Amino acid sequence: MASPTSRLSIPGSRSFRNYNIPRGGSPRLERSDSPVSTGHPRRSASGGRYGRGTSLSRDESEFDDEASSGFRYAVQIPATPDFQNMSGSVQASERTPNVRPMSPAIAGKAEQQFVQSTIFTGGFNSVTRGHVMEKMMEIEGNHPQLACARGTSCAVNGCDGKSLRDERGEELFPCECNFRICRDCYLEALGTPAAKCPGCREDYKTADESPRNANFQALPTIEMNPGRMDRRLSLLRSNKPGTLVGTDFDHSRWLYETKGTYGYGNAVWPKDDGYSKDGGGGMGAPPAKFVDKSKKPLSRKISISPGILSPYRLLVLIRMVVLALFLAWRVTHNNPDAMWLWGMSVVCEIWFAFSWILDQLPKLCPINRTTDLTVLKEKFEMPSPQNPDGRSDLPGVDVFVSSADPEKEPPLTTGNTILSILAADYPLEKLSCYLSDDGGSLLSFEALAEAASFSRVWVPFCRKHTIEPRNPETYFLLKGDPTKNKVRPDFVKDRRRVKREYDEFKVRINGLPDAIRRRSDAYNAHEELRAKRAQMESGLDPMEPLKVPKATWMADGTHWPGTWTQSGKEHGRGDHAGIIQVMLAPPTHEPLLGSDDEENIIDTTGIDIRLPMLVYVSREKRPGYDHNKKAGAMNALVRTSAIMSNGPFILNLDCDHYIYNSLALREAMCFFMDRGGDRLCYIQFPQRFEGVDPNDRYANHNTVFFDVNMRALDGLQGPVYVGTGCVFRRIALYGFDPPRYKEHPGCWESICCPGRKKKKVVKREAEINALNGGVVSDEGDDELEAMMLPKRYGDSTRFCESIPVAQFQGLPLADHGVKNGRPPGALTLAREPLDATIVAEAINVISCFYEDKTEWGGRVGWIYGSVTEDVVTGFRMHNRGWRSIYCVTKRDAFRGTAPINLTDRLHQVLRWATGSVEIFFSRNNALLASPRLKFLQRIAYLNVGIYPFTSIFLLVYCFLPALSLFSGQFIVYQLNITFLIYLLTITVTLCMLAILEVKWSGITLEEWWRNEQFWVIGGTSAHLAAVFQGFLKVIAGVDISFTLTSKATGDEAGDEFADLYVVKWSALMIPPITIMITNVMAIAVGTSRQIYSTIPEWSKLIGGVFFSLWVLSHLYPFAKGLMGRKGKTPTIIYVWSGLLSVIISLIWVYVNPPSGSTASGGSFTFP
């Protein structure tokens, strides 16, 4: 099917380069072997350059009427290295026999320069438009990778366009006469029959390409032979004989027959000076230079000391036995005086025991891990026979940063996160960063442009002086001596200059909202004057009101294609086009060293000043489509990045989580590139938080979960995915199964329905085989494959072609003992430069209709249908048999912020608990998991879905002490020695387990106690509301929606923890307040009863008071949060407390009236 013609249309004041995209198909740009001159005018100093500047400014408004009346130009896209049939084509020569073709080397650089300065928009039922921006922000930058960077003007008379520049910022001369010319003038000159240079008036004589141009080659594909069997993904290759890279290596035979060395921890591992100098073999001889490093592991598993783990497991077993005996005793010894009290307590205790077992069983196998970054560098970045130049052979990484609302997620925080990513210690050409702005806000767009501009100063500064952390806000606020371990004499001077630049950067970011408002008001006022003038000239009634949209304007004087401040048609939060802007172009393959130029803020001599690629993405949103919140935005980034960079690994971060350890990505690669790393779906890092109060009142650090539960899960099938700070394998997100996995049916399926299971496995293998390009049958496999790809991934051909490339690049090296590996040196070649067709295809895959009738959100990508899409996505991967790793680094890998306000914290917990309830009532319930999910891992996921339901029993149990004191009864008939021994044993074993957990996890007892306190606070408030909302969704179909937590602080300026004392009323506070008031009143009533009683029963009083104090001690942080600071407790707290006290008193008087009175009246007297 022929692609539609690409044309440039200029309708009124909103003109864009239009790349026509057929609905349901990939965008196709018309290419010709040589550009044909269409006589399109160039922008001069006094006029409009429509051929290049594909939008009209206000000064060009006099041409609007002419432009809108069929004023069209054909757009000819120049050649790029991935499109080499621009010359020599018979068909092309027939069309344009006298046209000179463009040099492919110049075409690639010119096209990337065009993409770098163009914002692309498009979406469903619309054309893809490329708008060339004159400037992106008020202050232009001069870095060669920066979008709209400053440059020299074209030397053609009447043209003020920017001359051609290469990816290093150096001027590019198509002719030997070194005549400066812009892209469009060059295309026009080639389009003439003479094809002469405007400078020397001679035929174009292209100079020889520089040596580095040869580096721009396509990456090697996975196919070694053109046969169909070799085109398969290697996910299934290891299960087929004859398709492995090499034969298996016998480690034991090599180790003991040759007395060689291998790995860590072997008996024959030599000392540092254990090699002999005589050059002999065996233990005395040094290993070969390139062979030795291939045998060293990149990571090691460190088991917990048996002296800690064995007693820990024994205590778990003892406590389980004691719990069973205690529950049996409780069931058989009731309280005849208060059966209702006894029955409620027994039911709650049985559930608590069951919940504790679910939480404790997955903790039986905790482990620690460590990495060796030195070995990683030796294997992937040092010279070797396969990589003589020592170029980096590490795979690419795409970093996703998600943002939705710049008002609640400050742009300065997002900018600091972006800067920490751009400064990460990872090969620049292998690193790409994507910001997903789900709100389509111009504020986020210009803030990102400011961050990209400041990165040209910050990133070289970090590399020059080895700065840690590489978040400028955190770095400049560090306490202590900043000169520690700094050896360069110019460090103090550089730091002072960079600090000043950062302060100016913050001021510009803070002033962006007001600058955008003033700019938009000025442009809108001018548009209203134009409309008024046109109304008067047309003879219409001047008193008739005008309908001029209140648009939001970009810095170059054109409409912002995203969300306007005052929402309009196709410019609202849920109704705007898809937007892609390359803020920082892909870096060169060769280092670009700086200089001591006076224009530079710091001296960058000998420092690589290249920057990773940075892309702004805002997916298309239209009314009537379910955009699936954050999960939908992440899937849009997955597809966009696959088209533009296709890194085999993906790191996702929230906008308030930044890279605290610049080596974090290398730490993750140590696991992925190690033996067996091809079976890992993701590497989860712990979440660490800043800005939390020193006492951690509301357990914001969550250390028990991240340092106890997650470490323990690492010893099973791997930790759960927690939403941020996670490095994914891209093909694991695509729904593939892990390599070398054998299907083992469960016992129930083997006994009851073995045939059904076998058919299911065969069908599944056939499906995956067909998807991977394998041979399913002799006939019809091509048709089956063609039908399955669009159904699963959509109709983007380029995206489907990127899947095997990502799979191949993510494999570890084919060393000894590594199955299914890639050859060394395969990833040392440069990537292809970006061109307009690539970005247009990326626009297509973020359109709102692209996921229709596909498996995105169901089996592919982030999973839809839950507010906790992170847990569900990780569960689906584990359910397919993948493994995950928990990476705890010595220096925190990532850090972020956490809500320290009580109300915000409760709403955060409410969201998590609601997602867990949704999981329990969905097909993602662990009870319905496949046999590939290990037993203890299944228990862990089952606990994820069940733990909110504990709140029902916890709420009842917190009221039992008060009911006991009010009624004068207790949960047992009498406090005998058996009950006390059971209670003491259960309590002591719990405390001993806590001490041992502290030993092997590294947390403190205070953190453990804070976690216990907030478990009660959250269980009696947020978890209870989550269960209620979950039942509403299941029974009544009521959808659950949440808003972002505001990052606003308290009223007191200069107090870092002012927000801690701000009391924001929420209905979630009612149950805990009621529990506290009831227990306090019960203690007073119970004590008074025993004091005035003729025959006091002190044992029952002591039991009730003890448990009431136990409840109140857990709710103490909640009560402290309600008090605020300096007597600023809100009046509503006193109102609710008094109201609840009166209600509770009246209810109890009615239920249990005093002696000598009736339920309907009488006076109260103490017994």
Side-chain angles (χ1 to χ4, degrees):
M1 176 179 177
S3 60
T5 304
S6 303
R7 293 193 177 277
L8 170 67
S9 63
I10 311 179
S13 63
R14 297 172 59 195
S15 61
F16 291 88
R17 187 183 306 272
N18 294 345
Y19 301 106
N20 295 332
I21 305 176
R23 179 175 178 179
S26 300
R28 302 174 184 273
L29 301 183
E30 182 187 22
R31 293 180 179 271
S32 62
D33 293 337
S34 56
V36 181
S37 174
T38 55
H40 49 281
R42 298 182 307 274
R43 181 173 182 175
S44 62
S46 59
R49 182 169 157 236
Y50 302 117
R52 172 187 176 276
T54 56
S55 65
L56 296 178
S57 63
R58 295 184 297 108
D59 298 333
E60 298 160 349
S61 58
E62 58 268 25
F63 297 103
D64 284 355
D65 296 335
E66 302 176 19
S68 60
S69 58
F71 193 57
R72 293 179 175 272
Y73 298 92
V75 176
Q76 307 297 338
I77 304 301
T80 54
D82 63 332
F83 188 81
Q84 298 295 337
N85 58 341
M86 285 198 149
S87 61
S89 149
V90 177
Q91 184 179 0
S93 61
E94 292 177 357
R95 292 196 308 264
T96 54
N98 297 323
V99 176
R100 177 75 174 269
M102 180 188 289
S103 169
I106 297 178
K109 297 177 177 62
E111 190 65 12
Q112 181 158 304
Q113 183 182 3
F114 167 73
V115 170
Q116 185 176 346
S117 301
T118 304
I119 180 172
F120 290 84
T121 63
F124 176 62
N125 256 354
S126 62
V127 294
T128 298
R129 300 173 176 178
H131 166 59
V132 180
M133 301 186 65
E134 295 298 332
K135 63 177 181 177
M136 192 173 301
M137 49 191 176
E138 300 299 334
I139 302 177
E140 297 183 3
N142 57 357
H143 194 278
Q145 292 178 247
L146 191 64
C148 303
R150 294 196 300 265
T152 55
S153 299
C154 176
V156 176
N157 292 332
C159 178
D160 61 353
K162 295 178 182 178
S163 62
L164 292 174
R165 303 177 73 88
D166 64 7
E167 64 280 352
R168 301 168 64 88
E170 300 173 359
E171 287 188 318
L172 193 63
F173 302 108
C175 183
E176 291 180 343
C177 67
N178 292 344
F179 180 78
R180 293 194 304 273
I181 191 170
C182 68
R183 170 181 177 271
D184 292 295
C185 292
Y186 180 46
L187 289 174
E188 183 180 354
L190 291 180
T192 60
K196 295 182 181 296
C197 173
C200 62
R201 304 296 179 183
E202 299 291 340
D203 292 341
Y204 268 109
K205 300 176 183 179
T206 305
D208 295 337
E209 300 179 15
S210 62
R212 65 173 179 268
N213 293 334
N215 290 324
F216 287 94
Q217 307 173 25
L219 287 170
T221 60
I222 63 172
E223 48 184 315
M224 303 300 178
N225 297 314
R228 182 172 180 79
M229 286 295 293
D230 292 325
R231 294 204 309 267
R232 292 178 297 147
L233 292 178
S234 58
L235 292 173
L236 300 176
R237 186 172 297 173
S238 63
N239 294 330
K240 309 288 184 180
T243 56
L244 291 172
V245 175
T247 58
D248 292 342
F249 184 75
D250 190 344
H251 307 279
S252 301
R253 182 177 179 182
W254 176 84
L255 179 63
Y256 294 108
E257 291 185 6
T258 64
K259 297 182 180 180
T261 63
Y262 179 80
Y264 287 96
N266 284 288
V268 294
W269 183 256
K271 299 180 179 179
D272 294 338
D273 55 351
Y275 297 116
S276 65
K277 300 181 181 180
D278 56 0
M283 277 293 295
K289 181 178 180 180
F290 298 116
V291 176
D292 179 64
K293 63 184 180 183
S294 67
K295 303 182 184 67
K296 294 181 180 179
L298 297 174
S299 62
R300 287 182 292 164
K301 182 188 300 184
I302 302 178
S303 302
I304 305 296
S305 171
I308 298 176
L309 192 56
S310 297
Y312 181 78
R313 292 171 175 171
L314 180 61
L315 280 174
V316 171
L317 179 61
I318 292 175
R319 194 166 193 267
M320 291 176 65
V321 173
V322 173
L323 280 174
L325 296 175
F326 171 71
L327 292 176
W329 183 86
R330 290 280 284 121
V331 171
T332 56
H333 293 73
N334 58 18
N335 185 358
D337 294 338
M339 291 295 292
W340 58 276
L341 195 62
W342 168 81
M344 287 192 297
S345 63
V346 169
V347 171
C348 293
E349 289 164 0
I350 292 175
W351 179 267
F352 291 151
F354 172 69
S355 178
W356 177 82
I357 291 174
L358 290 183
D359 180 68
Q360 194 65 48
L361 284 180
K363 297 181 183 178
L364 296 178
C365 306
I367 60 171
N368 292 319
R369 298 181 187 271
T370 185
T371 59
D372 195 333
L373 297 179
T374 303
V375 177
L376 182 75
K377 186 175 182 62
E378 290 177 355
K379 292 184 66 173
F380 292 90
E381 295 181 318
M382 297 296 288
S384 66
Q386 296 82 9
N387 183 17
D389 295 334
R391 297 184 183 273
S392 176
D393 200 18
L394 289 171
V397 178
D398 294 336
V399 185
F400 296 168
V401 180
S402 57
S403 176
D405 189 350
E407 295 181 359
K408 295 183 178 180
E409 298 168 332
L412 183 60
T413 301
T414 305
N416 276 275
T417 299
I418 297 295
L419 291 170
S420 70
I421 296 170
L422 298 179
D425 188 356
Y426 201 77
L428 298 174
E429 63 275 11
K430 307 295 182 69
L431 186 62
S432 302
C433 180
Y434 296 82
L435 173 67
S436 171
D437 178 20
D438 223 26
S441 171
L442 179 59
L443 177 58
S444 298
F445 179 85
E446 294 196 359
L448 184 64
E450 291 286 355
S453 178
F454 177 68
S455 66
R456 75 188 194 277
V457 178
W458 173 250
V459 174
F461 172 69
C462 292
R463 293 174 187 155
K464 180 179 179 180
H465 298 289
T466 319
I467 299 299
E468 291 286 352
R470 300 190 175 183
N471 176 327
E473 182 70 18
T474 304
Y475 171 72
F476 288 121
L477 290 178
L478 286 178
K479 298 179 181 179
D481 184 9
T483 63
K484 185 178 181 180
N485 299 326
K486 298 297 183 289
V487 296
R488 286 182 175 264
D490 57 349
F491 168 72
V492 176
K493 178 182 66 175
D494 289 350
R495 187 180 187 275
R496 183 169 56 248
R497 292 181 176 181
V498 174
K499 178 64 167 59
R500 177 171 179 172
E501 285 292 316
Y502 178 65
D503 290 338
E504 294 179 356
F505 163 75
K506 290 199 296 184
V507 171
R508 291 196 300 270
I509 292 291
N510 295 333
L512 276 179
D514 190 50
I516 294 174
R517 181 188 55 80
R518 292 197 311 268
R519 179 203 310 153
S520 299
D521 290 344
Y523 279 129
N524 287 329
H526 181 81
E527 290 298 311
E528 291 178 358
L529 291 176
R530 286 182 53 204
K532 192 69 175 179
R533 183 179 60 183
Q535 183 185 41
M536 297 176 62
E537 292 176 353
S538 60
L540 299 176
D541 184 7
M543 300 303 295
E544 184 179 351
L546 297 174
K547 295 182 179 180
V548 180
K550 299 294 184 180
T552 300
W553 295 75
M554 293 188 289
D556 67 339
T558 55
H559 286 180
W560 167 242
T563 302
W564 290 352
T565 305
Q566 298 183 14
S567 299
K569 184 180 180 182
E570 298 186 355
H571 292 283
R573 289 190 60 85
D575 183 17
H576 61 80
I579 307 171
I580 293 180
Q581 169 68 57
V582 180
M583 295 289 183
L584 292 174
T588 63
H589 193 55
E590 297 288 342
L592 179 60
L593 302 181
S595 63
D596 57 352
D597 193 344
E598 295 181 356
E599 294 185 0
N600 297 334
I601 304 298
I602 62 175
D603 182 7
T604 56
T605 303
I607 304 299
D608 191 355
I609 63 172
R610 293 178 300 163
L611 301 172
M613 184 172 74
L614 177 62
V615 183
Y616 172 90
V617 179
S618 181
R619 58 177 173 149
E620 183 192 18
K621 287 190 172 182
R622 298 300 179 195
Y625 284 85
D626 185 3
H627 303 292
N628 297 295
K629 303 181 180 65
K630 180 182 176 181
M634 298 304 294
N635 285 339
L637 286 184
V638 170
R639 298 190 295 270
T640 302
S641 61
I643 300 297
M644 300 184 68
S645 55
N646 198 30
F649 298 101
I650 295 172
L651 166 65
N652 85 289
L653 295 173
D654 290 340
C655 64
D656 59 342
H657 276 71
Y658 66 91
I659 297 180
Y660 187 75
N661 182 355
S662 62
L663 298 173
L665 293 176
R666 294 179 178 269
E667 298 271 0
M669 290 304 112
C670 286
F671 295 104
F672 282 123
M673 296 293 104
D674 208 356
R675 296 165 190 169
D678 57 337
R679 300 185 63 184
L680 301 178
C681 57
Y682 60 81
I683 307 297
Q684 177 66 62
F685 291 86
Q687 292 185 19
R688 306 301 186 197
F689 301 101
E690 296 177 333
V692 178
D693 57 296
N695 294 325
D696 194 12
R697 180 185 294 177
Y698 307 124
N700 289 99
H701 286 301
N702 215 357
T703 52
V704 173
F705 175 75
F706 287 113
D707 291 323
V708 178
N709 297 73
M710 297 287 273
R711 286 178 190 264
L713 289 176
D714 197 18
L716 304 178
Q717 201 169 340
V720 298
Y721 168 43
V722 293
T724 184
C726 185
V727 182
F728 283 95
R729 182 180 297 275
R730 182 180 287 271
I731 61 164
L733 285 170
Y734 290 165
F736 286 100
D737 291 343
R740 303 184 304 280
Y741 193 91
K742 297 181 180 180
E743 191 76 32
H744 296 288
C747 298
W748 175 261
E749 294 172 336
S750 300
I751 298 173
C752 298
C753 47
R756 179 182 176 184
K757 182 65 181 179
K758 183 177 181 181
K759 292 178 181 179
K760 182 178 179 181
V761 173
V762 171
K763 180 180 179 181
R764 183 177 181 83
E765 290 181 353
E767 182 187 38
I768 299 173
N769 235 356
L771 181 64
N772 292 348
V775 177
V776 180
S777 61
D778 295 335
E779 299 178 0
D781 54 342
D782 291 332
E783 290 77 9
L784 179 60
E785 179 180 348
M787 288 187 297
M788 292 181 62
L789 287 176
K791 179 181 179 182
R792 176 164 294 182
Y793 302 112
D795 52 12
S796 173
T797 304
R798 183 182 289 271
F799 176 83
C800 295
E801 291 173 350
S802 71
I803 297 176
V805 177
Q807 190 272 343
F808 171 77
Q809 295 178 11
L811 295 176
L813 296 182
D815 293 331
H816 296 293
V818 175
K819 298 182 179 180
N820 204 29
R822 60 177 170 88
L827 304 184
T828 57
L829 299 179
R831 295 182 179 274
E832 302 170 355
L834 291 177
D835 61 13
T837 58
I838 294 177
V839 185
E841 178 73 8
I843 285 288
N844 177 56
V845 299
I846 63 172
S847 60
C848 59
F849 77 96
Y850 184 82
E851 294 183 354
D852 289 352
K853 299 180 181 180
T854 67
E855 295 188 8
W856 286 99
R859 176 182 172 85
V860 180
W862 270 258
I863 307 302
Y864 301 154
S866 175
V867 295
T868 52
E869 70 287 333
D870 45 5
V871 177
V872 178
T873 301
F875 167 75
R876 290 289 185 90
M877 295 182 183
H878 287 143
N879 195 39
R880 289 194 292 268
W882 289 94
R883 287 185 53 85
S884 59
I885 294 293
Y886 194 56
C887 181
V888 182
T889 55
K890 293 181 179 179
R891 179 184 178 87
D892 294 343
F894 307 98
R895 282 192 179 181
T897 58
I900 61 174
N901 180 265
L902 175 60
T903 305
D904 294 338
R905 175 71 165 138
L906 290 178
H907 280 91
Q908 182 187 57
V909 175
L910 172 63
R911 178 180 176 272
W912 296 342
T914 304
S916 296
V917 175
E918 290 177 336
I919 292 173
F920 181 79
F921 287 114
S922 69
R923 63 176 181 174
N924 298 308
N925 192 313
L927 295 175
L928 307 177
S930 72
R932 297 186 177 190
L933 193 67
K934 294 185 177 180
F935 174 73
L936 291 181
Q937 191 80 16
R938 186 188 302 264
I939 296 297
Y941 275 113
L942 183 62
N943 186 46
V944 169
I946 284 181
Y947 83 87
F949 296 96
T950 305
S951 61
I952 301 174
F953 304 92
L954 182 62
L955 182 69
V956 174
Y957 210 74
C958 287
F959 279 110
L960 287 182
L963 295 176
S964 175
L965 291 171
F966 279 132
S967 63
Q969 302 296 329
F970 196 52
I971 58 176
V972 295
Y973 184 69
Q974 58 181 357
L975 291 177
N976 54 23
I977 190 63
T978 305
F979 176 78
L980 294 177
I981 290 177
Y982 277 128
L983 190 62
L984 180 63
T985 306
I986 292 173
T987 304
V988 169
T989 52
L990 179 63
C991 295
M992 294 179 66
L993 285 174
I995 294 174
L996 291 177
E997 285 182 357
V998 166
K999 284 287 187 180
W1000 61 256
S1001 65
I1003 66 174
T1004 63
L1005 281 175
E1006 182 183 6
E1007 291 172 333
W1008 180 86
W1009 172 239
R1010 285 282 183 261
N1011 180 79
E1012 292 295 311
Q1013 286 180 315
F1014 196 78
W1015 176 77
V1016 175
I1017 296 173
T1020 55
S1021 57
H1023 296 177
L1024 191 67
V1027 174
F1028 178 72
Q1029 290 183 350
F1031 279 116
L1032 280 181
K1033 182 176 182 180
V1034 173
I1035 298 174
V1038 179
D1039 194 14
I1040 303 171
S1041 61
F1042 291 91
T1043 57
L1044 292 173
T1045 302
S1046 176
K1047 304 298 190 298
T1049 58
D1051 297 331
E1052 301 186 24
D1055 189 350
E1056 182 181 1
F1057 308 115
D1059 201 35
L1060 177 69
Y1061 307 103
V1062 177
V1063 181
K1064 307 173 186 178
W1065 175 254
S1066 172
L1068 297 177
M1069 298 179 177
I1070 296 178
I1073 292 177
T1074 307
I1075 292 173
M1076 288 191 301
I1077 294 175
T1078 304
N1079 279 275
V1080 170
M1081 293 177 59
I1083 292 175
V1085 170
T1087 304
S1088 302
R1089 176 184 287 111
Q1090 298 304 325
I1091 292 176
Y1092 291 97
S1093 177
T1094 305
I1095 306 176
E1097 297 178 323
W1098 296 106
S1099 61
K1100 294 182 178 180
L1101 174 65
I1102 293 174
V1105 170
F1106 174 80
F1107 282 107
S1108 288
L1109 292 177
W1110 176 87
V1111 172
L1112 293 175
S1113 65
H1114 281 78
L1115 293 176
Y1116 172 73
F1118 178 83
K1120 194 173 181 180
L1122 293 180
M1123 295 298 102
R1125 183 170 58 176
K1126 299 179 182 178
K1128 294 184 178 180
T1129 305
T1131 306
I1132 192 173
I1133 302 296
Y1134 295 109
V1135 172
W1136 271 102
S1137 300
L1139 182 62
L1140 291 173
S1141 300
V1142 172
I1143 293 174
I1144 295 170
S1145 300
L1146 292 177
I1147 291 176
W1148 186 252
V1149 169
Y1150 181 82
V1151 173
N1152 189 15
S1155 59
S1157 64
T1158 61
S1160 59
S1163 59
F1164 179 81
T1165 58
F1166 286 104

